[in-house]
Amino acid sequence: MPWQDVTLLLGDLTETWTRTDENIATLVDIQNWWLEAEYVKWTTDPDEAKAASRSADPTPPLPVLRAVAYRPPAAHAAAVERYEARRPQQPKPSGQMDARSFGALFGL
């Protein structure tokens, strides 16, 4: 069979996403969360960290993992939806505009 026909057949294969694939993607998400947490520790001044820990809200009981690993579009949309549902909503500071309102002032 010519290679052009083989590539056409390979392109027609449906992409399957198994639980093993999702577990591997979740491990990549966890590794990314850990690396970001370590980076914050490496780059934060210890005195600022102590002051922030006294005044900060308590941390969520479970880390909220962003979907950073490759997933098929449907699985990625589901992972982003789970992330948005678990992410703590931060109140907007009073007297500050969001980006869309600020752009609307200038007709953008």
Side-chain angles (χ1 to χ4, degrees), residues 2-25:
W3 67 270
Q4 294 92 345
D5 294 340
V6 172
T7 56
L8 286 174
L9 288 175
L10 289 175
D12 290 340
L13 291 175
T14 58
E15 197 169 310
T16 58
W17 189 251
T18 63
R19 288 184 181 184
T20 303
D21 297 330
E22 182 61 33
N23 287 340
I24 292 170

Side-chain angles (χ1 to χ4, degrees), residues 57-65 83-91:
D57 294 332
T59 57
L62 294 173
V64 180
L65 302 175
Y83 169 73
E84 291 295 330
R86 296 176 99 190
R87 185 176 66 153
Q89 299 298 324
Q90 306 220 351

Side-chain angles (χ1 to χ4, degrees), residues 47-96:
D47 296 331
E48 290 178 6
K50 285 180 186 176
S53 67
R54 289 185 209 120
S55 64
D57 294 332
T59 57
L62 294 173
V64 180
L65 302 175
R66 280 188 305 126
V68 294
Y70 171 79
R71 291 173 170 87
H76 181 70
V80 168
E81 195 172 298
R82 284 192 307 270
Y83 169 73
E84 291 295 330
R86 296 176 99 190
R87 185 176 66 153
Q89 299 298 324
Q90 306 220 351
K92 287 185 185 178
S94 60
Q96 200 173 32

